[in-house]
């Protein structure tokens, strides 16, 4: 920390005469009531708490909670945190604490592929996902007259764009009036945010499924650039059962579409495709008007699925999945086109 201040003093040609560095356990510091508001900032530890030690699973949340309590309605904070702060049920109460006062809350989110926010990674992990740096969110909380929440997409960038991406302000989406499963979403774009907002409270993709259905679709449990489909109930796949071929193709088209992918990027963790992500996908009232004319094409693509097979080596084993993302018709573009037509 001293080193950092020395660097800044030199760079800005200034000094920090009133600065007093305190070395202590953050959890044990008793923050005095002072006239001026507190400002907490930093990169807290991402460390799992021992069972029963805290109400939170991870120490970063203790840092955030303590800071929120001490800034009250007047101070500010800025922390680099794991992405899970935005969506995990474990931190639902922490998000509620953020909303206790009128505040400006901004979140920018950073993926861990192709480039990573922290360059060093975690050398003790050989698994490439863990060896890479985590997906992170930068949380900024400032006092305000009304509550306002803004959030970016889960930003991805190549190492060539690193300097530019990390030196500019990202594009924020207004999510103040938005709640989806209690999350702070990471809107992939403004259309998907509009789609989700308009469809909330309506029926969901789960309504297409039937427990004893004979038509089965298998969806990969992880995704990066596309939602993958598997042949048969192999490990790491979700089984979805449908009572009719028509519902099977409806689900196949929706799940391989740009609409679902953008939705998943908005509310998912950027890596796992959970059964909840699939089942809770909201079906907008007008979606079937776009989906039904495309079912014959979908059926043809499925019959030709071998053309879309992708294989990769995973822990010495070859796994294969189908990637229809480039071939399936866009639901996003047509969906909004259709809405405008209806309005005229
Ligand atoms: C992710 S590192 C960030 C270090 C530094 N801020 C930086 O950006 O280089 C988290 C730091 O928090 C420290 N730490 C862990 N538990 C702490 C606690 N209870 N109180 C204060 N610091 C703690 C760790 O030693 C570690 O240096």
């Amino acid at each position: 920390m001293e080193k950092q201040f020395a660097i800044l003093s030199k760079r800005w040609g200034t000094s920090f005469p009133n600065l007093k560095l305190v070395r202590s356990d953050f959890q044990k510091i008793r923050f005095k009531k002072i006239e001026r508001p507190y400002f907490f900032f930093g990169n807290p530890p991402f460390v799992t708490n021992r069972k029963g030690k805290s109400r939170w699973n991870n120490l970063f949340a203790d840092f955030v909670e303590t800071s929120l309590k001490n800034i009250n309605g007047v101070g500010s904070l800025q922390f680099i945190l794991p992405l899970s702060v935005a969506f995990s049920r474990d931190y639902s109460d922490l998000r509620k604490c953020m909303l206790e006062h009128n505040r400006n809350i901004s979140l920018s989110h950073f993926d861990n592929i192709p480039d990573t926010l922290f360059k060093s990674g975690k050398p003790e992990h050989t698994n490439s996902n863990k060896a890479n740096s985590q997906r992170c969110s930068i949380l900024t909380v400032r006092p305000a007259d009304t509550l306002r929440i803004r959030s970016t997409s889960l930003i991805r960038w190549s190492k060539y764009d690193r300097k530019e991406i990390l030196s500019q302000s990202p594009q924020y989406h207004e999510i103040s009036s938005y709640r989806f499963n209690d999350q702070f979403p990471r809107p992939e774009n403004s259309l998907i945010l509009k789609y989700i907002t308009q469809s909330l409270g309506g029926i969901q993709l789960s309504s297409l499924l039937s427990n004893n259905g004979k038509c089965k679709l298998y969806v990969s449990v992880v995704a990066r650039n596309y939602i993958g489909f598997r042949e048969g109930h192999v490990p790491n796949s979700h089984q979805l059962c449908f009572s009719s071929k028509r519902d099977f193709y409806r689900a196949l088209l929706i799940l391989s579409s740009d609409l679902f992918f953008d939705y998943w990027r908005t509310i998912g963790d950027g890596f796992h495709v959970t059964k909840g992500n699939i089942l809770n996908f909201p079906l907008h009232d007008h979606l079937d008007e776009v989906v039904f004319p495309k079912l014959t094409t979908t059926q043809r693509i499925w019959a030709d699925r071998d053309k879309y097979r992708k294989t990769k080596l995973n822990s010495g084993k070859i796994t294969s999945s189908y990637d229809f993302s480039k071939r399936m018709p866009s639901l996003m573009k047509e969906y909004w086109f259709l809405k405008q037509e209806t309005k005229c």
Side-chain angles (χ1 to χ4, degrees), residues 34-101:
I34 50 171
E35 261 171 49
R36 288 199 296 176
Y38 276 108
F39 175 32
F40 294 88
F41 65 96
N43 172 12
F46 303 177
V47 179
T48 310
N49 277 325
R50 258 187 292 119
K51 233 186 161 126
K53 192 175 173 263
S54 161
R55 68 186 282 208
W56 310 111
N57 283 348
N58 195 296
L59 186 55
F60 84 82
D62 294 281
F63 275 58
V64 177
E65 186 188 25
T66 303
S67 308
L68 284 169
K69 277 186 185 148
N70 284 289
I71 65 171
N72 226 322
V74 289
S76 306
L77 66 81
Q78 186 162 58
F79 283 128
I80 300 180
L81 304 170
L83 178 68
S84 55
V85 72
F87 66 85
S88 167
R89 263 191 235 134
D90 292 345
Y91 305 117
S92 169
D93 284 345
L94 192 63
R95 292 190 289 277
K96 280 193 193 122
C97 295
M98 295 177 203
L99 307 179
E100 275 170 6
H101 293 272

Side-chain angles (χ1 to χ4, degrees), residues 294-311:
K294 295 176 181 27
L295 292 186
T296 315
T297 308
T298 308
Q299 190 173 348
R300 229 178 4 245
I301 294 171
W302 180 248
D304 281 346
R305 59 188 175 282
D306 224 32
K307 282 190 197 162
Y308 308 102
R309 186 194 291 271
K310 282 187 172 170
T311 53

Side-chain angles (χ1 to χ4, degrees), residues 245-310:
K245 276 278 173 202
R246 194 184 72 147
D247 285 346
F248 171 93
Y249 291 123
R250 276 164 89 192
L252 174 63
L253 170 56
I254 292 169
L255 292 173
S256 28
S257 71
D258 47 1
L259 187 65
F260 183 83
F261 189 74
D262 287 357
Y263 151 85
W264 170 72
R265 292 280 300 165
T266 300
I267 55 87
D269 73 3
F271 185 58
H272 301 100
V273 181
T274 67
K275 198 117 185 214
N277 293 158
I278 297 172
L279 301 184
N280 298 336
F281 177 75
L283 299 181
H284 193 284
D285 294 348
H286 291 284
L287 187 61
D288 271 345
E289 294 166 38
V290 184
V291 165
F292 281 145
K294 295 176 181 27
L295 292 186
T296 315
T297 308
T298 308
Q299 190 173 348
R300 229 178 4 245
I301 294 171
W302 180 248
D304 281 346
R305 59 188 175 282
D306 224 32
K307 282 190 197 162
Y308 308 102
R309 186 194 291 271
K310 282 187 172 170

Side-chain angles (χ1 to χ4, degrees), residues 161-216:
D161 299 327
R162 180 180 182 84
K163 208 169 166 193
E164 196 187 333
I165 290 286
L166 299 185
S167 60
Q168 69 194 10
S169 179
Q171 191 202 343
Y172 287 96
H173 296 272
E174 181 77 44
I175 56 158
S176 303
S177 55
Y178 176 98
R179 296 284 176 275
F180 186 88
N181 289 352
D182 211 11
Q183 297 195 15
F184 293 150
R186 287 76 56 210
E188 187 66 2
N189 50 56
S190 42
L191 279 189
I192 195 65
L193 190 60
K194 208 165 160 186
Y195 175 87
I196 298 172
T197 315
Q198 286 189 0
S199 326
L200 280 183
I203 55 166
Q204 300 174 321
L205 197 132
S206 55
S207 65
L208 303 184
L209 273 72
S210 155
N211 277 345
N212 304 318
K214 296 275 180 291
C215 308
K216 292 175 179 157

Side-chain angles (χ1 to χ4, degrees), residues 23-34:
R23 276 194 193 84
S24 183
D25 182 335
F26 188 73
Q27 294 309 101
K28 292 192 177 140
I29 299 175
R30 293 285 155 257
F31 292 96
K32 287 190 215 129
K33 286 227 173 320
I34 50 171

